[in-house]
Coordinates of all heavy atoms in Angstrom, one line a residue:
M1 N 0.8 -1.1 0.0 CA 0.0 0.0 0.0 C 0.9 1.2 0.0 O 1.8 1.3 0.8 CB -0.9 0.0 1.2 CG -1.8 1.1 1.3 SD -2.9 1.2 2.8 CE -3.3 -0.5 3.1
K2 N 0.6 2.2 -0.9 CA 1.3 3.4 -1.0 C 0.4 4.6 -0.7 O -0.7 4.6 -1.3 CB 2.0 3.6 -2.3 CG 3.1 2.6 -2.6 CD 3.7 2.8 -4.0 CE 4.8 1.9 -4.3 NZ 5.4 2.2 -5.6
L3 N 0.9 5.6 0.0 CA 0.2 6.8 0.3 C 1.0 8.0 -0.2 O 2.1 8.3 0.4 CB -0.2 7.0 1.7 CG -0.9 8.2 2.1 CD1 -2.4 8.2 1.5 CD2 -1.0 8.4 3.6
Y4 N 0.6 8.6 -1.3 CA 1.3 9.8 -1.8 C 0.7 11.0 -1.2 O -0.5 11.2 -1.1 CB 1.0 9.9 -3.4 CG 1.6 8.7 -4.1 CD1 0.9 7.6 -4.4 CD2 2.9 8.8 -4.7 CE1 1.5 6.5 -5.1 CE2 3.5 7.8 -5.4 CZ 2.8 6.7 -5.6 OH 3.3 5.6 -6.4
V5 N 1.7 11.8 -0.6 CA 1.3 13.0 0.2 C 2.1 14.2 -0.2 O 3.2 14.1 -0.8 CB 1.4 12.7 1.7 CG1 0.5 11.5 2.1 CG2 2.8 12.5 2.1
K6 N 1.6 15.3 0.3 CA 2.3 16.6 0.4 C 2.2 16.8 1.9 O 1.1 16.9 2.5 CB 1.7 17.7 -0.4 CG 1.7 17.5 -1.9 CD 0.9 18.5 -2.7 CE 0.9 18.1 -4.2 NZ -0.1 18.8 -4.9
V7 N 3.3 17.0 2.6 CA 3.3 17.0 4.0 C 2.5 18.1 4.7 O 2.0 18.0 5.8 CB 4.7 16.9 4.6 CG1 5.5 15.7 4.3 CG2 5.6 18.2 4.2
W8 N 2.3 19.2 4.0 CA 1.5 20.3 4.6 C 0.0 20.2 4.3 O -0.8 20.9 4.9 CB 2.0 21.6 3.9 CG 2.0 21.6 2.4 CD1 3.0 21.2 1.6 CD2 0.8 21.8 1.6 NE1 2.6 21.3 0.3 CE2 1.3 21.6 0.2 CE3 -0.5 22.1 1.7 CZ2 0.4 21.7 -0.9 CZ3 -1.4 22.2 0.6 CH2 -0.9 22.0 -0.6
C9 N -0.4 19.2 3.6 CA -1.8 19.0 3.2 C -2.6 18.4 4.3 O -2.3 17.3 4.8 CB -1.8 18.0 1.9 SG -3.4 17.2 1.6
P10 N -3.7 19.1 4.8 CA -4.4 18.5 5.9 C -5.1 17.3 5.6 O -5.3 16.4 6.5 CB -5.4 19.7 6.2 CG -5.4 20.6 5.0 CD -4.1 20.4 4.3
W11 N -5.5 17.1 4.4 CA -6.1 15.8 4.0 C -5.2 14.6 4.1 O -5.5 13.5 4.4 CB -6.9 15.9 2.7 CG -8.0 16.8 2.7 CD1 -9.3 16.6 3.1 CD2 -7.9 18.2 2.4 NE1 -10.1 17.7 3.0 CE2 -9.2 18.8 2.5 CE3 -6.9 19.0 2.0 CZ2 -9.5 20.1 2.3 CZ3 -7.3 20.4 1.7 CH2 -8.5 20.9 1.9
C12 N -3.9 14.9 3.8 CA -2.9 13.9 3.8 C -2.6 13.5 5.2 O -2.4 12.4 5.6 CB -1.7 14.4 3.1 SG -1.8 14.8 1.4
V13 N -2.5 14.5 6.1 CA -2.3 14.2 7.5 C -3.4 13.4 8.1 O -3.2 12.4 8.8 CB -2.2 15.6 8.3 CG1 -2.2 15.3 9.8 CG2 -1.0 16.4 7.9
M14 N -4.7 13.7 7.7 CA -5.8 12.9 8.1 C -5.7 11.5 7.6 O -6.0 10.6 8.4 CB -7.1 13.6 7.6 CG -8.4 12.8 7.8 SD -8.8 11.3 6.7 CE -8.6 12.0 5.1
A15 N -5.4 11.3 6.4 CA -5.3 10.0 5.8 C -4.2 9.2 6.5 O -4.4 8.0 6.9 CB -5.0 10.1 4.3
E16 N -3.1 9.8 6.8 CA -2.0 9.1 7.4 C -2.5 8.7 8.8 O -2.2 7.5 9.3 CB -0.8 10.0 7.5 CG 0.4 9.3 8.0 CD 1.7 10.1 8.0 OE1 1.7 11.3 7.4 OE2 2.7 9.7 8.5
R17 N -3.1 9.6 9.6 CA -3.5 9.3 10.9 C -4.6 8.1 10.9 O -4.5 7.2 11.7 CB -4.1 10.5 11.5 CG -3.1 11.5 12.0 CD -3.7 12.6 12.7 NE -2.8 13.6 13.0 CZ -3.0 14.9 13.2 NH1 -4.2 15.3 13.1 NH2 -2.0 15.7 13.5
E18 N -5.5 8.2 9.9 CA -6.5 7.1 9.9 C -5.9 5.8 9.5 O -6.3 4.7 10.2 CB -7.6 7.5 8.8 CG -8.7 6.6 8.7 CD -9.5 6.5 10.0 OE1 -9.6 7.5 10.8 OE2 -10.2 5.4 10.3
L19 N -5.0 5.7 8.6 CA -4.4 4.5 8.3 C -3.6 3.9 9.5 O -3.6 2.7 9.8 CB -3.4 4.6 7.1 CG -4.2 4.9 5.8 CD1 -3.2 5.2 4.7 CD2 -5.1 3.8 5.3
H20 N -2.8 4.8 10.2 CA -2.1 4.3 11.4 C -3.1 3.9 12.5 O -2.8 2.9 13.1 CB -1.3 5.5 12.0 CG 0.0 5.7 11.3 ND1 1.0 4.7 11.2 CD2 0.5 6.8 10.7 CE1 2.0 5.2 10.5 NE2 1.8 6.5 10.2
A21 N -4.2 4.6 12.7 CA -5.2 4.2 13.7 C -5.8 2.8 13.4 O -6.2 2.1 14.3 CB -6.3 5.2 13.7
R22 N -5.8 2.4 12.1 CA -6.3 1.1 11.7 C -5.3 0.0 11.8 O -5.5 -1.1 11.5 CB -6.9 1.2 10.3 CG -8.1 2.0 10.2 CD -8.4 2.3 8.7 NE -9.6 3.0 8.6 CZ -10.9 2.6 8.6 NH1 -11.0 1.3 8.6 NH2 -11.9 3.4 8.4
G23 N -4.1 0.5 12.1 CA -2.9 -0.5 12.2 C -2.4 -1.0 10.9 O -1.8 -2.0 10.8
L24 N -2.7 -0.2 9.9 CA -2.3 -0.5 8.5 C -0.9 -0.1 8.2 O -0.5 1.0 8.6 CB -3.3 0.0 7.5 CG -4.7 -0.4 7.6 CD1 -5.6 0.3 6.7 CD2 -4.8 -2.0 7.4
T25 N -0.1 -0.9 7.5 CA 1.2 -0.6 7.0 C 1.2 0.0 5.6 O 0.5 -0.6 4.8 CB 2.1 -1.9 7.0 OG1 2.0 -2.5 8.4 CG2 3.5 -1.6 6.7
F26 N 1.9 1.0 5.5 CA 1.9 1.7 4.1 C 3.2 2.4 4.0 O 3.9 2.8 4.9 CB 0.7 2.7 4.0 CG 0.7 3.8 5.0 CD1 1.2 5.0 4.7 CD2 0.1 3.5 6.2 CE1 1.2 6.0 5.7 CE2 0.0 4.6 7.2 CZ 0.6 5.8 6.9
E27 N 3.5 2.7 2.7 CA 4.7 3.4 2.4 C 4.2 4.9 2.1 O 3.4 5.1 1.2 CB 5.4 2.9 1.1 CG 6.5 3.7 0.6 CD 7.1 3.2 -0.7 OE1 6.6 2.2 -1.3 OE2 8.1 3.8 -1.2
K28 N 4.7 5.8 2.9 CA 4.4 7.3 2.7 C 5.4 7.8 1.8 O 6.6 7.8 2.0 CB 4.5 7.9 4.1 CG 4.3 9.5 4.0 CD 4.4 10.0 5.4 CE 4.4 11.5 5.4 NZ 4.6 12.0 6.8
I29 N 4.9 8.5 0.8 CA 5.7 9.0 -0.3 C 5.4 10.6 -0.4 O 4.3 10.9 -0.8 CB 5.5 8.4 -1.7 CG1 5.7 6.8 -1.5 CG2 6.4 8.9 -2.7 CD1 5.3 6.0 -2.6
D30 N 6.4 11.4 -0.1 CA 6.3 12.8 -0.2 C 6.6 13.2 -1.7 O 7.7 13.2 -2.1 CB 7.2 13.5 0.8 CG 7.1 15.0 0.8 OD1 6.5 15.6 -0.1 OD2 7.7 15.7 1.6
V31 N 5.5 13.6 -2.4 CA 5.7 13.9 -3.8 C 6.4 15.2 -4.1 O 6.9 15.4 -5.2 CB 4.4 13.9 -4.6 CG1 3.8 12.4 -4.5 CG2 3.4 14.8 -4.1
E32 N 6.4 16.0 -3.1 CA 7.2 17.3 -3.2 C 8.7 17.1 -3.0 O 9.4 17.9 -3.6 CB 6.6 18.4 -2.3 CG 5.3 18.8 -2.6 CD 4.7 19.9 -1.7 OE1 4.9 19.8 -0.5 OE2 4.1 20.8 -2.3
R33 N 9.1 16.1 -2.4 CA 10.5 15.8 -2.2 C 11.1 14.9 -3.3 O 12.3 14.8 -3.5 CB 10.8 15.2 -0.9 CG 10.5 16.1 0.3 CD 10.9 15.5 1.5 NE 12.0 16.4 2.1 CZ 12.9 16.1 2.9 NH1 13.0 14.9 3.4 NH2 13.7 17.0 3.3
D34 N 10.1 14.2 -4.0 CA 10.6 13.2 -4.9 C 9.8 13.4 -6.3 O 8.7 13.0 -6.5 CB 10.3 11.8 -4.4 CG 10.8 10.7 -5.3 OD1 11.1 11.0 -6.5 OD2 10.8 9.6 -4.8
P35 N 10.4 14.2 -7.2 CA 9.7 14.5 -8.5 C 9.4 13.2 -9.3 O 8.3 13.2 -9.9 CB 10.8 15.3 -9.3 CG 11.7 15.9 -8.2 CD 11.7 14.9 -7.1
A36 N 10.2 12.1 -9.2 CA 9.8 10.9 -9.9 C 8.6 10.3 -9.3 O 7.7 9.8 -10.0 CB 11.0 9.9 -9.8
A37 N 8.4 10.4 -8.0 CA 7.2 9.9 -7.3 C 6.0 10.7 -7.7 O 4.9 10.1 -7.9 CB 7.4 9.9 -5.8
Y38 N 6.1 12.0 -7.8 CA 5.1 12.8 -8.3 C 4.6 12.4 -9.7 O 3.4 12.3 -9.9 CB 5.5 14.3 -8.2 CG 4.5 15.2 -8.7 CD1 3.4 15.5 -7.9 CD2 4.5 15.9 -9.9 CE1 2.3 16.4 -8.3 CE2 3.6 16.8 -10.3 CZ 2.5 17.1 -9.5 OH 1.5 18.0 -9.9
R39 N 5.5 12.2 -10.6 CA 5.2 11.8 -11.9 C 4.5 10.4 -11.9 O 3.5 10.2 -12.6 CB 6.4 11.7 -12.8 CG 7.0 13.1 -13.2 CD 8.1 13.0 -14.2 NE 9.3 12.3 -13.8 CZ 10.2 12.8 -13.1 NH1 10.2 14.0 -12.7 NH2 11.3 12.0 -12.7
E40 N 5.0 9.5 -11.0 CA 4.4 8.2 -10.9 C 2.9 8.3 -10.4 O 2.0 7.7 -10.9 CB 5.2 7.4 -9.9 CG 4.7 6.0 -9.6 CD 5.5 5.2 -8.6 OE1 5.3 5.4 -7.4 OE2 6.3 4.4 -9.1
M41 N 2.7 9.2 -9.4 CA 1.4 9.4 -8.8 C 0.5 9.9 -9.9 O -0.7 9.4 -10.1 CB 1.4 10.3 -7.6 CG 0.0 10.6 -7.1 SD 0.0 12.0 -6.0 CE 0.0 13.3 -7.1
R42 N 1.0 10.8 -10.7 CA 0.1 11.4 -11.8 C -0.2 10.4 -12.8 O -1.3 10.3 -13.3 CB 0.8 12.6 -12.4 CG 0.9 13.8 -11.5 CD 1.3 15.0 -12.1 NE 0.2 15.4 -13.0 CZ 0.0 16.6 -13.6 NH1 0.9 17.5 -13.4 NH2 -0.9 16.8 -14.5
A43 N 0.7 9.5 -13.2 CA 0.5 8.5 -14.1 C -0.6 7.4 -13.6 O -1.4 7.0 -14.4 CB 1.8 7.8 -14.5
L44 N -0.4 7.1 -12.3 CA -1.3 6.2 -11.8 C -2.8 6.7 -11.6 O -3.8 6.0 -11.8 CB -0.9 5.7 -10.4 CG 0.4 4.8 -10.3 CD1 0.9 4.8 -8.9 CD2 0.0 3.5 -10.9
S45 N -2.9 8.0 -11.2 CA -4.2 8.5 -10.8 C -4.8 9.4 -11.9 O -6.0 9.7 -11.7 CB -4.0 9.3 -9.5 OG -3.2 10.4 -9.7
G46 N -4.0 9.9 -12.8 CA -4.5 10.8 -13.7 C -4.8 12.3 -13.2 O -5.4 13.1 -13.9
Q47 N -4.2 12.5 -12.1 CA -4.4 13.9 -11.5 C -3.2 14.3 -10.6 O -2.3 13.4 -10.5 CB -5.7 14.0 -10.8 CG -5.9 12.9 -9.7 CD -5.2 13.2 -8.3 OE1 -5.4 14.2 -7.8 NE2 -4.4 12.3 -7.9
A48 N -3.2 15.4 -10.1 CA -2.0 15.9 -9.3 C -2.3 16.2 -7.8 O -1.4 16.6 -7.2 CB -1.6 17.2 -10.0
R49 N -3.5 15.9 -7.3 CA -3.8 16.2 -6.0 C -3.5 15.0 -5.0 O -3.5 13.9 -5.4 CB -5.3 16.6 -5.9 CG -5.6 17.8 -6.6 CD -7.0 18.3 -6.4 NE -7.2 19.6 -7.0 CZ -8.4 20.1 -7.1 NH1 -9.4 19.5 -6.5 NH2 -8.5 21.3 -7.6
T50 N -3.3 15.4 -3.8 CA -3.0 14.4 -2.7 C -4.1 14.6 -1.6 O -4.7 15.7 -1.6 CB -1.6 14.6 -2.1 OG1 -1.5 16.0 -1.7 CG2 -0.6 14.3 -3.1
P51 N -4.3 13.6 -0.8 CA -3.6 12.3 -0.8 C -4.1 11.4 -1.9 O -5.2 11.5 -2.4 CB -4.0 11.7 0.5 CG -5.4 12.3 0.8 CD -5.3 13.7 0.2
T52 N -3.2 10.5 -2.3 CA -3.6 9.5 -3.3 C -3.1 8.2 -2.7 O -2.0 8.0 -2.3 CB -2.9 9.7 -4.6 OG1 -3.5 10.9 -5.2 CG2 -3.1 8.5 -5.6
L53 N -4.0 7.2 -2.6 CA -3.7 5.9 -2.0 C -3.8 4.8 -3.0 O -4.7 4.8 -3.8 CB -4.8 5.6 -0.9 CG -4.6 4.3 -0.1 CD1 -3.3 4.3 0.7 CD2 -5.8 4.1 0.8
V54 N -2.8 4.0 -3.1 CA -2.7 2.9 -4.0 C -2.7 1.6 -3.2 O -1.8 1.4 -2.4 CB -1.5 3.0 -4.9 CG1 -1.3 1.8 -5.9 CG2 -1.5 4.3 -5.7
V55 N -3.6 0.7 -3.5 CA -3.6 -0.6 -2.9 C -3.7 -1.6 -4.1 O -4.7 -1.7 -4.9 CB -4.9 -0.8 -2.0 CG1 -4.9 -2.2 -1.5 CG2 -4.9 0.2 -0.9
G56 N -2.7 -2.3 -4.3 CA -2.6 -3.3 -5.5 C -2.7 -2.5 -6.8 O -1.9 -1.5 -7.0
D57 N -3.7 -2.8 -7.5 CA -3.9 -2.0 -8.8 C -5.1 -1.0 -8.7 O -5.5 -0.4 -9.7 CB -4.2 -3.0 -10.0 CG -5.4 -3.8 -9.8 OD1 -6.0 -3.8 -8.7 OD2 -5.9 -4.5 -10.7
R58 N -5.6 -0.8 -7.5 CA -6.7 0.2 -7.2 C -6.0 1.5 -6.7 O -5.2 1.5 -5.9 CB -7.6 -0.3 -6.2 CG -8.3 -1.7 -6.5 CD -9.4 -1.6 -7.5 NE -10.3 -0.5 -7.3 CZ -11.4 -0.6 -6.5 NH1 -11.7 -1.7 -5.9 NH2 -12.2 0.5 -6.3
V59 N -6.6 2.6 -7.2 CA -6.1 3.9 -6.9 C -7.3 4.8 -6.4 O -8.4 4.8 -7.0 CB -5.5 4.6 -8.1 CG1 -5.0 6.0 -7.8 CG2 -4.3 3.7 -8.6
L60 N -7.1 5.4 -5.2 CA -8.0 6.4 -4.7 C -7.4 7.8 -4.7 O -6.6 8.1 -3.8 CB -8.5 6.0 -3.3 CG -9.4 6.9 -2.6 CD1 -10.8 6.9 -3.4 CD2 -9.7 6.5 -1.1
P61 N -7.6 8.6 -5.7 CA -7.0 9.9 -5.8 C -7.8 11.0 -5.0 O -9.0 10.9 -4.9 CB -7.0 10.2 -7.3 CG -8.2 9.5 -7.8 CD -8.4 8.3 -6.9
D62 N -7.0 12.0 -4.5 CA -7.7 13.2 -3.9 C -8.8 12.9 -3.1 O -10.0 13.3 -3.4 CB -8.0 14.1 -5.1 CG -8.5 15.5 -4.6 OD1 -8.2 15.9 -3.5 OD2 -9.3 16.1 -5.4
F63 N -8.7 12.2 -2.0 CA -9.8 11.7 -1.2 C -10.0 12.4 0.1 O -9.0 12.9 0.7 CB -9.8 10.1 -1.0 CG -8.6 9.6 -0.2 CD1 -8.7 9.5 1.1 CD2 -7.4 9.4 -0.8 CE1 -7.6 9.0 1.9 CE2 -6.3 8.9 -0.1 CZ -6.4 8.8 1.3
G64 N -11.1 12.3 0.7 CA -11.4 12.7 2.0 C -11.9 11.5 2.9 O -12.0 10.4 2.4
P65 N -12.2 11.8 4.2 CA -12.4 10.7 5.1 C -13.7 9.9 4.6 O -13.6 8.6 4.9 CB -12.7 11.5 6.4 CG -12.5 12.9 6.2 CD -12.2 13.1 4.8
E66 N -14.7 10.5 4.1 CA -15.9 9.7 3.7 C -15.6 8.7 2.5 O -16.4 7.8 2.3 CB -17.0 10.7 3.3 CG -16.8 11.5 2.0 CD -15.8 12.7 2.2 OE1 -15.4 13.0 3.3 OE2 -15.4 13.2 1.1
E67 N -14.5 8.9 1.8 CA -14.2 8.0 0.7 C -13.2 6.9 1.1 O -13.1 5.8 0.4 CB -13.6 8.8 -0.5 CG -14.6 9.8 -1.0 CD -13.8 11.0 -1.7 OE1 -13.0 11.6 -1.0 OE2 -14.2 11.2 -2.9
L68 N -12.5 7.1 2.2 CA -11.5 6.1 2.6 C -12.1 4.8 3.0 O -11.6 3.8 2.5 CB -10.6 6.7 3.7 CG -9.5 5.8 4.2 CD1 -8.5 5.5 3.0 CD2 -8.7 6.5 5.3
E69 N -13.1 4.8 3.9 CA -13.7 3.6 4.4 C -14.2 2.7 3.3 O -13.8 1.5 3.2 CB -14.7 3.9 5.4 CG -15.5 2.7 5.9 CD -14.6 1.8 6.8 OE1 -13.7 2.4 7.5 OE2 -14.8 0.5 6.8
P70 N -15.0 3.2 2.4 CA -15.5 2.3 1.3 C -14.4 1.8 0.4 O -14.4 0.6 0.0 CB -16.4 3.2 0.5 CG -16.8 4.3 1.4 CD -15.6 4.5 2.3
F71 N -13.4 2.6 0.2 CA -12.2 2.1 -0.7 C -11.5 1.0 0.1 O -11.2 -0.1 -0.6 CB -11.3 3.3 -0.9 CG -10.1 2.9 -1.7 CD1 -10.2 2.7 -3.1 CD2 -8.8 2.7 -1.2 CE1 -9.1 2.3 -3.9 CE2 -7.7 2.4 -1.9 CZ -7.9 2.2 -3.2
L72 N -11.2 1.1 1.3 CA -10.5 0.1 2.0 C -11.4 -1.2 2.1 O -10.8 -2.3 2.0 CB -10.2 0.5 3.5 CG -9.2 1.6 3.6 CD1 -9.0 2.1 5.0 CD2 -7.8 1.3 3.0
A73 N -12.7 -1.0 2.2 CA -13.5 -2.2 2.2 C -13.5 -2.9 0.8 O -13.4 -4.2 0.7 CB -14.9 -1.9 2.6
E74 N -13.6 -2.1 -0.2 CA -13.6 -2.7 -1.6 C -12.3 -3.4 -1.9 O -12.3 -4.4 -2.7 CB -13.8 -1.5 -2.6 CG -15.2 -1.0 -2.6 CD -15.4 0.3 -3.4 OE1 -14.4 0.6 -4.2 OE2 -16.4 1.0 -3.3
T75 N -11.2 -2.9 -1.4 CA -9.9 -3.5 -1.7 C -9.6 -4.7 -0.7 O -8.6 -5.3 -0.9 CB -8.8 -2.5 -1.6 OG1 -8.8 -1.9 -0.3 CG2 -9.0 -1.4 -2.6
G76 N -10.5 -4.9 0.2 CA -10.3 -6.0 1.2 C -9.3 -5.7 2.3 O -8.9 -6.6 3.0
V77 N -8.9 -4.4 2.4 CA -7.9 -4.0 3.4 C -8.7 -3.9 4.8 O -8.2 -4.3 5.8 CB -7.2 -2.7 3.1 CG1 -6.4 -2.2 4.3 CG2 -6.4 -2.9 1.8
A78 N -9.9 -3.5 4.7 CA -10.7 -3.3 6.0 C -12.2 -3.6 5.6 O -12.6 -3.5 4.5 CB -10.6 -1.9 6.5
S79 N -12.9 -4.0 6.6 CA -14.3 -4.2 6.4 C -15.1 -3.3 7.3 O -14.7 -2.6 8.1 CB -14.6 -5.7 6.7 OG -14.2 -6.0 8.0

């Protein structure tokens, strides 16, 4: 699982906290520090906003708290 973030982004902070609270392991990728990761995120998601969560071949771009739970359930990460 990969979480693409911009560290100053409040939605990214929320996403990181929520994933930690669920005990989920993920790779946090700061797209502002890593231009290649930013390009990768854009290629995967078709957009430039964060947070973007990748689980397997599923991508949840530019999401808020109300979208996280259904996505995790759909990907089998949480029910």
Side-chain angles (χ1 to χ4, degrees):
M1 182 180 325
K2 293 183 179 181
L3 180 65
Y4 294 89
V5 301
K6 295 173 184 164
V7 295
W8 53 265
C9 162
W11 294 275
C12 297
V13 172
M14 174 281 310
E16 187 176 354
R17 285 184 186 155
E18 185 62 29
L19 293 173
H20 280 303
R22 294 169 178 272
L24 298 173
T25 302
F26 59 94
E27 179 184 358
K28 176 181 168 183
I29 303 168
D30 181 351
V31 298
E32 291 184 313
R33 295 188 118 203
D34 186 344
Y38 180 71
R39 289 189 299 274
E40 178 181 83
M41 180 193 77
R42 290 194 66 165
L44 289 167
S45 66
Q47 54 82 52
R49 295 186 175 176
T50 56
T52 293
L53 183 61
V54 177
V55 177
D57 63 351
R58 301 284 313 273
V59 179
L60 179 63
D62 185 26
F63 65 93
E66 67 283 351
E67 297 154 306
L68 183 58
E69 178 67 33
F71 179 77
L72 293 175
E74 289 170 12
T75 59
V77 173
S79 52

